[in-house]
Amino acid sequence: MIKLLVFDVDGTLSDGKVYYTQSGEEIKSFDIRDGLAISVWNRYLARPSAIITGRDSQIVRKRAAEVGIEHIFMGVENKAEVLRNLLAQLNLADSEVACIGDDLNDLGMFRICKKAYMPSNGAKALKKYAYKILKSRGGDGAVREMIEDVLKLNGDKKLEKYFL
């Protein structure tokens, strides 16, 4: 059973593009459907999730708070080390975590996660390490698709039942 979800940000939770305003502020877009699925995981199921990303962003902190992600690691160079420490802290096995990433800096997480997901537009070199290549693109429903698959693997067939 999957008990922890781990998300990269750029290229998975967002479309991987970074926009800057005239004043130099960074802008990212996040998919609302992804956010709803993350909220169900965190709030309805009371399961933990984490962000492990190489960039540091106040926008990501805000989004994490909105959807209930409690473990946030930014500016990370070695994602595998951070994930190993988090698994130890939460007393979870490798088989109890699913992750999503889109590029080579996520390879360390993919080697740990038995269920490593990748958006359809992820780096070609990462594809051979993915458990599943999703139909959706990063920032456009890939995280939602991942969570729906994890719920199915866990024996929970429909996301919709949390809203009826």
Side-chain angles (χ1 to χ4, degrees):
M1 174 175 273
I2 303 298
K3 297 179 180 177
L4 171 68
L5 300 179
V6 177
F7 311 109
D8 172 45
V9 175
D10 296 312
T12 57
L13 286 172
S14 78
D15 63 6
K17 297 176 183 168
V18 179
Y19 304 91
Y20 293 100
T21 65
Q22 284 285 77
S23 61
E25 291 179 272
E26 183 178 13
I27 299 172
K28 294 180 188 286
S29 67
F30 299 98
D31 190 288
I32 292 298
R33 296 166 298 166
D34 288 348
L36 183 61
I38 295 167
S39 290
V40 165
W41 180 267
N42 292 322
R43 295 186 172 122
Y44 285 89
L45 297 176
R47 296 236 165 94
S49 64
I51 285 174
I52 303 177
T53 182
R55 294 174 51 93
D56 196 342
S57 171
Q58 191 59 38
I59 295 167
V60 172
R61 283 186 183 85
K62 180 177 175 56
R63 183 63 171 157
E66 286 176 349
V67 297
I69 298 172
E70 65 179 287
H71 304 283
I72 304 165
F73 306 92
M74 295 196 202
V76 175
E77 289 185 28
N78 186 339
K79 293 184 179 188
E81 180 182 356
V82 171
L83 180 54
R84 284 257 177 245
N85 290 338
L86 181 60
L87 290 174
Q89 175 189 336
L90 298 175
N91 197 29
L92 294 174
D94 296 357
S95 61
E96 296 175 306
V97 61
C99 68
I100 185 169
D102 71 309
D103 216 335
L104 294 176
N105 62 337
D106 299 311
L107 182 56
M109 291 194 314
F110 273 45
R111 288 183 169 150
I112 294 169
C113 294
K114 304 295 184 231
K115 303 292 188 253
Y117 293 81
M118 183 179 138
S120 63
N121 60 330
K124 289 179 185 176
L126 193 62
K127 288 185 178 188
K128 65 182 175 182
Y129 300 100
Y131 159 74
K132 186 175 268 190
I133 299 166
L134 302 165
K135 293 176 185 167
S136 303
R137 296 172 63 83
D140 193 24
V143 170
R144 170 73 172 253
E145 188 180 338
M146 170 209 184
I147 292 172
E148 287 177 349
D149 190 68
V150 167
L151 289 174
K152 187 176 173 183
L153 289 172
N154 283 353
D156 198 349
K157 305 257 188 280
K158 297 267 185 197
L159 191 63
E160 293 87 0
K161 75 182 188 179
Y162 296 101
F163 303 99
L164 299 178

